[in-house]
Structure formats: structure tokens, C-alpha cells
Amino acid sequence: MSQQETIADLLLARLVSERENIETQWRNPVGTKTRHFVVDDLLPRGDCDAIFQAFPRDAEGFFSRDSFREKKRTSADLGAYPTILNDITYAFQDPRIVEIVGSLTGIDHLEPDPKLYAGGLSMMFEGDFLNPHVDNSHDAERERYRRLNLLYYVSPDWKTQNGGNFELWDDNRKISKTVLSAANRLLVMETTRWSWHSVSPVVAETARCCISNYYFSQNSPVQADYFHVTSFTGRPEQYLRRLLSLVDNPLRSLLSKILKTGRGKKLVNGPAEQPSSK
């Protein structure tokens, strides 16, 4: 049995054991209307530590995003790093994992993203952040709707005061719910036109490391067609960024439609840049 299959077995067993808790969380979101759930102690502690240690300490080879919208490093070039990073990433794409997550959330016909258009490795360092946003609506070919984000955090001893924590916002982006980016925690959230989320600025010197996967489906979550790029806004106190987003978001959506480009990569026969991981 391969390491990837072994990890998938562990994931499956943990999700099955937490079924009742997961379904309760999903049906009754607290502090936000965005449905989501968390599972702690997802893997044996030694496995989580090994995944963290496999990340490059300086994010060597990662793609850097740095704008008023976000500041972070990502990579989908899993072959450049220890194999455990490839194995944990693709273990989440095991058909059994996709099936049980679909069962737990009640979302049918989910499909993973083996090309990692919107997944892979994410590292955030002191000063990095991700402002409130809704994710781009589709996959690279615009054939499937993005339905779920699966985020697995591995940085040991992560504390609230470190920053770099996941946030879910209300519709007006005024009140947020914080989810600690605790080591060995899986966060799964639905992706809709209203699922505003962010990552608070990192203030710790330790790197915040995350494995990201995204599930798609042919079916629209609202039973109607729609399209948008990843759309950002400012935090409540960032008035200028909020005003700028009123122009920035529709302009980027329009350019994406005209030029047939997606967030971070060409849609058709284009060079692959890096994903937008959380």
C-alpha cells in the first residue's frame, strides 16, 4: 500500500468517526451563514509534524502574491518537495474521501481538482494576509462550479495571537467569525457567491502552512448560471480598499471574460502559474 493510500485510509476513518459531529456543524453554522465544519486531530500527530517539516522553511520555489488584496506564497509544483506533500494533497482527492465529504455535506456529484488549478501548498509569513473575498466561481475551463474548500493546517502550536487565522464574514463584511489555524485541523467550507472569508494578518515569525484542495461540480449551487473572478473587499476599517474593490472586482471579471483568463493562470493552453490557496 502506498503512503498516499495509507493517508487516505486515515482520513476516511477519522471522517467516519466524526460523522455525527460534522453533520451537526454543517447544518447549524455558528457566527456565519456559510456552512462549514472542522475536524481536529485529523491524522496521527507524527504524520502532521512530518508534513509540516516537509515544507521549505523559506518558501523556496513558491509563487508570491503581493497586492492590496493579499500577500502570501503558494505552490502547486508538488514534485519539487518531499513526497509526503504530494501524498497528503492527493489523499484528499481519493474517490472515497470525495464520496464521504459529499455525503457529509449533502452535495452530490463532487469532483476533485487533480490539476490543482485552485489548490496545493500555501505558506504565510509575518505580514502576510488575505483580505475578505469570495472565491472564483469555476474551475480553469469554466465547466464546473467551485463547491467546497478543504483546508488542512499543519503549523505546530499555532495560537490565536499569531494571526494568520481563518475568518468567515457576514454579508456586509462587518462581523467575522475566527477559526484558529490549529495544527492537524481540517476546515471544510462551502463556496458560494456569498461565502466571504479571509485570513487575518500573520504577526508571528513562524510560517503558517496549509494544504488546500477544492471540490467542483457540474451543478450550480443556486440552480442558475453565474460567473465571477475571485472578488475582494477591504476589512471594515479599510474604507479606501472597499471603495477600490467596487471598481476592481467588476473590471477583473470583465477582462477575464474577454481575455479568457482565470485567476493566476491561462484558461486555455496557457502557462500554469500557482493557485490561490488559503
Side-chain angles (χ1 to χ4, degrees):
M1 181 181 295
S2 69
Q3 179 174 242
Q4 182 176 317
E5 291 172 324
T6 298
I7 294 174
D9 285 346
L10 293 169
L11 295 178
L12 181 62
R14 188 74 183 110
L15 292 172
V16 169
S17 72
E18 287 291 309
R19 175 180 286 276
E20 183 176 354
N21 178 34
I22 289 171
E23 291 178 340
T24 298
Q25 291 183 63
W26 186 260
R27 290 193 302 265
N28 305 284
V30 176
T32 174
K33 75 176 188 182
T34 299
R35 294 181 297 179
H36 64 285
F37 67 81
V38 299
V39 176
D40 290 322
D41 302 318
L42 186 69
L43 294 174
R45 174 59 66 174
D47 291 343
C48 180
D49 291 342
I51 293 166
F52 172 72
Q53 292 298 329
F55 275 81
R57 296 281 74 86
D58 58 357
E60 181 179 358
F62 277 47
F63 177 78
S64 178
R65 294 186 181 276
D66 190 352
S67 72
F68 69 91
R69 310 177 192 96
E70 59 188 332
K71 187 170 184 285
K72 61 184 180 181
R73 287 86 160 174
T74 61
S75 179
D77 184 13
L78 303 184
Y81 307 106
T83 57
I84 195 170
L85 294 180
N86 179 87
D87 293 336
I88 178 59
T89 301
Y90 283 102
F92 281 106
Q93 300 192 21
D94 184 291
R96 297 170 297 161
I97 305 305
V98 178
E99 180 180 4
I100 191 171
V101 171
S103 174
L104 293 167
T105 59
I107 301 177
D108 297 328
H109 309 301
L110 289 173
E111 301 174 11
D113 178 26
K115 295 181 181 179
L116 296 180
Y117 164 70
L121 313 177
S122 170
M123 297 186 74
M124 299 181 74
F125 297 85
E126 186 174 8
D128 290 354
F129 67 94
L130 187 57
N131 261 10
H133 65 284
V134 289
D135 291 322
N136 54 306
S137 57
H138 286 71
D139 63 4
E141 292 76 24
R142 297 187 190 167
E143 295 176 349
R144 303 176 299 171
Y145 290 88
R146 191 191 297 217
R147 302 300 301 273
L148 292 175
N149 294 358
L150 293 87
L151 309 172
Y152 176 52
Y153 304 108
V154 297
S155 297
D157 303 317
W158 199 260
K159 301 176 177 61
T160 303
Q161 57 265 34
N162 288 355
N165 295 304
F166 195 84
E167 300 167 315
L168 290 162
W169 293 82
D170 66 343
D171 288 345
N172 296 318
R173 283 80 72 196
K174 291 184 178 180
I175 301 173
S176 65
K177 170 185 179 176
T178 296
V179 180
L180 176 66
S181 301
N184 215 10
R185 167 174 282 181
L186 172 67
L187 167 64
V188 177
M189 62 162 285
E190 67 178 338
T191 301
T192 69
R193 290 181 291 175
W194 308 280
S195 54
W196 290 91
H197 57 286
S198 60
V199 178
S200 61
V202 177
V203 297
E205 296 181 359
T206 303
R208 173 196 182 271
C209 300
C210 178
I211 306 291
S212 300
N213 268 278
Y214 299 84
Y215 291 172
F216 298 85
S217 78
Q218 299 284 342
N219 303 324
S220 166
V222 294
Q223 308 306 312
D225 292 336
Y226 65 92
F227 169 79
H228 59 77
V229 297
T230 302
S231 302
F232 287 85
T233 189
R235 294 179 174 275
E237 70 278 8
Q238 295 175 326
Y239 304 112
L240 183 58
R241 294 191 188 190
R242 289 203 162 194
L243 288 174
L244 181 58
S245 70
L246 298 177
V247 177
D248 179 62
N249 293 326
L251 178 60
R252 287 188 297 109
S253 285
L254 177 61
L255 290 175
S256 180
K257 288 181 179 180
I258 294 173
L259 301 176
K260 297 186 181 300
T261 59
R263 177 170 164 73
K265 34 169 75 174
K266 291 273 188 178
L267 285 181
V268 181
N269 298 322
E273 280 187 8
Q274 302 301 335
S276 175
S277 304
K278 302 300 184 297

